[in-house]
Amino acid sequence: MSVKRINLSATGIICDRAVAKEGEARSTKHLPPPCKRRGGDSKNKNCRNTQKIHEYVLKFHPESNSTSSLCPLGQDVEIHSYTDDTQLKNTLGRLLHRLVINEAFTTKDIVILTTTRRQSLQNQVVGKFRIKATPDINGPEILCNTIHHFKGLESKVVILIETESNPPNHKQLLYVGASRARHHLIILRPNASVNRR
Protein backbone atom coordinates (compact mmCIF):
# COMPACT_ATOMS: atom_id res chain seq x y z
CA MET A 1 0.00 0.00 0.00
CA SER A 2 1.28 3.43 -0.85
CA VAL A 3 -0.22 6.87 -0.51
CA LYS A 4 -0.43 8.92 -3.67
CA ARG A 5 -0.27 12.63 -2.98
CA ILE A 6 -2.16 14.84 -5.39
CA ASN A 7 -1.16 18.48 -5.25
CA LEU A 8 -3.69 20.87 -6.69
CA SER A 9 -1.20 23.73 -6.42
CA ALA A 10 -3.45 26.37 -7.94
CA THR A 11 -5.98 25.80 -5.16
CA GLY A 12 -3.53 25.14 -2.32
CA ILE A 13 -5.16 21.75 -1.71
CA ILE A 14 -3.30 18.52 -1.08
CA CYS A 15 -5.27 15.30 -1.40
CA ASP A 16 -3.94 11.91 -0.31
CA ARG A 17 -5.29 8.70 -1.80
CA ALA A 18 -4.41 5.16 -0.75
CA VAL A 19 -3.24 3.17 -3.74
CA ALA A 20 -3.09 -0.61 -3.44
CA LYS A 21 -0.26 -2.34 -5.25
CA GLU A 22 -1.28 -5.14 -7.59
CA GLY A 23 -2.53 -8.15 -5.60
CA GLU A 24 -2.50 -6.22 -2.31
CA ALA A 25 -5.60 -5.83 -0.15
CA ARG A 26 -6.80 -2.28 0.30
CA SER A 27 -5.67 -1.16 3.73
CA THR A 28 -6.89 2.06 5.27
CA LYS A 29 -5.02 1.75 8.55
CA HIS A 30 -2.76 4.74 7.98
CA LEU A 31 -4.96 6.67 5.58
CA PRO A 32 -4.74 10.42 6.18
CA PRO A 33 -7.73 12.76 6.04
CA PRO A 34 -9.05 13.02 2.46
CA CYS A 35 -7.41 16.41 1.93
CA LYS A 36 -5.76 19.27 3.74
CA ARG A 37 -5.88 22.96 2.94
CA ARG A 38 -2.67 24.95 2.94
CA GLY A 39 -3.50 28.61 3.39
CA GLY A 40 -5.98 30.42 1.18
CA ASP A 41 -9.71 30.81 1.46
CA SER A 42 -11.56 27.70 2.66
CA LYS A 43 -15.03 29.25 2.28
CA ASN A 44 -17.39 27.01 0.29
CA LYS A 45 -14.82 24.21 0.07
CA ASN A 46 -15.28 20.83 1.75
CA CYS A 47 -11.97 19.36 2.89
CA ARG A 48 -13.42 16.69 5.20
CA ASN A 49 -15.50 14.35 3.07
CA THR A 50 -14.74 12.44 -0.10
CA GLN A 51 -16.70 13.65 -3.13
CA LYS A 52 -19.21 10.77 -2.91
CA ILE A 53 -19.96 11.50 0.76
CA HIS A 54 -20.13 15.22 0.04
CA GLU A 55 -22.62 14.62 -2.79
CA TYR A 56 -24.84 12.56 -0.44
CA VAL A 57 -24.61 15.14 2.36
CA LEU A 58 -25.69 17.96 0.05
CA LYS A 59 -29.12 16.31 -0.30
CA PHE A 60 -29.80 17.49 3.25
CA HIS A 61 -28.18 20.93 3.08
CA PRO A 62 -30.54 23.91 2.76
CA GLU A 63 -28.38 25.34 -0.06
CA SER A 64 -27.40 22.24 -2.02
CA ASN A 65 -25.00 24.06 -4.37
CA SER A 66 -23.28 26.08 -1.64
CA THR A 67 -20.07 24.04 -1.34
CA SER A 68 -17.81 21.81 -3.39
CA SER A 69 -15.50 18.99 -2.37
CA LEU A 70 -11.83 19.16 -3.23
CA CYS A 71 -11.13 15.64 -1.99
CA PRO A 72 -10.75 12.31 -3.81
CA LEU A 73 -13.82 10.64 -5.31
CA GLY A 74 -13.99 7.92 -2.63
CA GLN A 75 -16.34 4.97 -2.22
CA ASP A 76 -20.06 5.01 -2.88
CA VAL A 77 -22.24 5.66 0.15
CA GLU A 78 -23.72 2.31 1.21
CA ILE A 79 -27.40 2.12 2.14
CA HIS A 80 -28.87 -0.92 3.89
CA SER A 81 -32.31 -1.49 5.36
CA TYR A 82 -33.49 -3.43 8.39
CA THR A 83 -36.89 -4.54 9.64
CA ASP A 84 -36.22 -5.18 13.35
CA ASP A 85 -33.48 -5.17 15.99
CA THR A 86 -32.34 -8.70 15.10
CA GLN A 87 -31.82 -7.82 11.44
CA LEU A 88 -30.14 -4.54 12.44
CA LYS A 89 -27.65 -6.37 14.68
CA ASN A 90 -26.96 -9.04 12.04
CA THR A 91 -26.33 -6.44 9.33
CA LEU A 92 -24.21 -4.36 11.68
CA GLY A 93 -22.16 -7.42 12.66
CA ARG A 94 -21.43 -8.26 9.00
CA LEU A 95 -20.49 -4.65 8.24
CA LEU A 96 -18.14 -4.37 11.22
CA HIS A 97 -16.49 -7.68 10.34
CA ARG A 98 -15.93 -6.51 6.76
CA LEU A 99 -14.58 -3.11 7.83
CA VAL A 100 -12.18 -4.39 10.50
CA ILE A 101 -11.15 -7.79 9.13
CA ASN A 102 -11.33 -7.33 5.34
CA GLU A 103 -10.71 -3.60 4.94
CA ALA A 104 -8.26 -3.20 7.87
CA PHE A 105 -9.93 -0.28 9.65
CA THR A 106 -9.20 -0.21 13.37
CA THR A 107 -12.13 -0.19 15.78
CA LYS A 108 -11.26 3.38 16.79
CA ASP A 109 -11.66 4.46 13.13
CA ILE A 110 -15.35 3.49 13.18
CA VAL A 111 -18.24 5.23 14.88
CA ILE A 112 -21.91 4.26 14.95
CA LEU A 113 -24.24 7.26 15.08
CA THR A 114 -27.95 7.04 15.74
CA THR A 115 -30.72 9.57 15.21
CA THR A 116 -32.03 8.82 18.71
CA ARG A 117 -30.62 6.89 21.67
CA ARG A 118 -30.77 3.19 20.83
CA GLN A 119 -30.71 1.26 24.11
CA SER A 120 -30.93 -2.05 22.25
CA LEU A 121 -27.40 -1.41 20.88
CA GLN A 122 -25.65 -0.13 23.99
CA ASN A 123 -23.19 -2.55 25.59
CA GLN A 124 -24.29 -5.30 23.20
CA VAL A 125 -22.04 -7.77 21.42
CA VAL A 126 -22.61 -7.55 17.68
CA GLY A 127 -20.63 -10.18 15.82
CA LYS A 128 -17.15 -10.04 17.36
CA PHE A 129 -17.52 -6.46 18.61
CA ARG A 130 -19.03 -4.75 21.65
CA ILE A 131 -20.98 -1.54 21.03
CA LYS A 132 -20.41 1.08 23.75
CA ALA A 133 -20.83 4.77 24.47
CA THR A 134 -17.33 4.81 25.99
CA PRO A 135 -15.33 2.04 24.29
CA ASP A 136 -11.89 0.73 25.21
CA ILE A 137 -9.90 1.82 22.17
CA ASN A 138 -7.49 -1.08 22.62
CA GLY A 139 -10.23 -3.72 22.55
CA PRO A 140 -12.82 -4.92 20.05
CA GLU A 141 -15.24 -2.15 21.02
CA ILE A 142 -16.97 0.34 18.74
CA LEU A 143 -18.16 3.81 19.75
CA CYS A 144 -21.92 4.28 19.49
CA ASN A 145 -23.57 7.59 20.23
CA THR A 146 -26.27 9.93 19.00
CA ILE A 147 -25.63 12.35 16.16
CA HIS A 148 -26.25 15.20 18.62
CA HIS A 149 -23.41 14.07 20.92
CA PHE A 150 -20.97 13.60 18.01
CA LYS A 151 -21.61 17.01 16.40
CA GLY A 152 -18.34 18.77 15.58
CA LEU A 153 -16.34 15.53 15.52
CA GLU A 154 -15.40 13.24 12.64
CA SER A 155 -14.37 9.67 11.95
CA LYS A 156 -12.86 7.74 9.05
CA VAL A 157 -15.95 5.52 8.94
CA VAL A 158 -19.45 6.45 10.06
CA ILE A 159 -22.26 3.95 10.27
CA LEU A 160 -25.37 6.07 10.53
CA ILE A 161 -28.39 4.25 11.92
CA GLU A 162 -31.75 5.86 11.42
CA THR A 163 -33.82 4.69 14.37
CA GLU A 164 -37.08 6.35 13.38
CA SER A 165 -38.86 6.72 10.08
CA ASN A 166 -39.39 10.47 10.41
CA PRO A 167 -37.89 12.11 13.51
CA PRO A 168 -38.15 15.87 14.12
CA ASN A 169 -35.44 17.81 12.24
CA HIS A 170 -34.80 14.73 10.09
CA LYS A 171 -32.87 16.48 7.30
CA GLN A 172 -30.69 18.37 9.76
CA LEU A 173 -29.89 15.17 11.68
CA LEU A 174 -28.91 13.35 8.48
CA TYR A 175 -26.82 16.31 7.31
CA VAL A 176 -24.87 16.46 10.57
CA GLY A 177 -24.53 12.67 10.93
CA ALA A 178 -23.49 11.92 7.36
CA SER A 179 -21.01 14.80 7.22
CA ARG A 180 -19.02 13.29 10.14
CA ALA A 181 -17.62 10.59 7.78
CA ARG A 182 -14.26 11.33 6.18
CA HIS A 183 -13.72 8.23 4.02
CA HIS A 184 -16.67 5.85 4.24
CA LEU A 185 -20.35 6.36 5.02
CA ILE A 186 -22.79 3.52 5.63
CA ILE A 187 -26.49 4.19 6.24
CA LEU A 188 -28.80 1.71 7.99
CA ARG A 189 -32.44 2.71 7.87
CA PRO A 190 -35.74 1.14 8.84
CA ASN A 191 -37.50 -0.66 5.99
CA ALA A 192 -40.33 1.88 5.80
CA SER A 193 -37.87 4.67 4.89
CA VAL A 194 -35.80 2.85 2.23
CA ASN A 195 -37.49 4.50 -0.74
CA ARG A 196 -37.64 7.97 0.82
CA ARG A 197 -34.30 9.22 -0.51
Side-chain angles (χ1 to χ4, degrees), residues 7-184:
N7 187 354
L8 307 173
S9 56
T11 61
I13 301 296
I14 296 177
C15 294
D16 294 320
R17 182 177 301 180
V19 179
K21 296 175 185 166
E22 192 171 324
E24 182 181 50
R26 183 174 133 331
S27 172
T28 56
K29 200 173 215 175
H30 304 290
L31 194 63
C35 61
K36 296 182 248 183
R37 175 166 289 287
R38 287 192 302 178
D41 179 26
S42 62
K43 190 175 182 180
N44 301 328
K45 305 296 181 202
N46 179 337
C47 288
R48 173 188 295 148
N49 314 114
T50 63
Q51 291 176 31
K52 298 247 179 153
I53 294 171
H54 177 76
E55 183 181 304
Y56 183 82
V57 167
L58 283 181
K59 293 177 185 181
F60 309 107
H61 193 278
E63 299 173 30
S64 61
N65 294 324
S66 62
T67 62
S68 61
S69 175
L70 299 172
C71 298
L73 188 60
Q75 295 178 305
D76 289 334
V77 173
E78 290 181 51
I79 300 176
H80 302 269
S81 63
Y82 65 92
T83 54
D84 56 26
D85 280 350
T86 301
Q87 189 178 25
L88 171 61
K89 289 176 186 176
N90 289 339
T91 302
L92 191 53
R94 284 191 305 274
L95 289 168
L96 292 172
H97 179 85
R98 187 192 81 208
L99 290 166
V100 175
I101 306 302
N102 300 347
E103 296 184 27
F105 283 100
T106 64
T107 55
K108 67 182 178 183
D109 291 334
I110 303 167
V111 65
I112 299 168
L113 297 179
T114 58
T115 51
T116 58
R117 175 84 47 208
R118 189 71 170 203
Q119 292 301 327
S120 62
L121 286 177
Q122 289 301 324
N123 207 28
Q124 296 292 311
V125 175
V126 177
K128 297 180 179 182
F129 307 95
R130 183 169 294 280
I131 310 300
K132 294 186 78 175
T134 53
D136 174 2
I137 61 169
N138 297 315
E141 297 181 351
I142 307 287
L143 173 65
C144 179
N145 220 323
T146 62
I147 293 167
H148 176 75
H149 281 94
F150 205 72
K151 189 173 181 177
L153 303 174
E154 60 186 36
S155 183
K156 288 182 182 178
V157 179
V158 169
I159 300 173
L160 179 58
I161 300 176
E162 293 184 46
T163 55
E164 299 177 271
S165 291
N166 200 8
N169 302 323
H170 191 243
K171 279 189 166 189
Q172 182 181 2
L173 278 172
L174 294 180
Y175 173 77
V176 172
S179 66
R180 304 303 93 201
R182 291 189 344 225
H183 297 286
H184 199 44

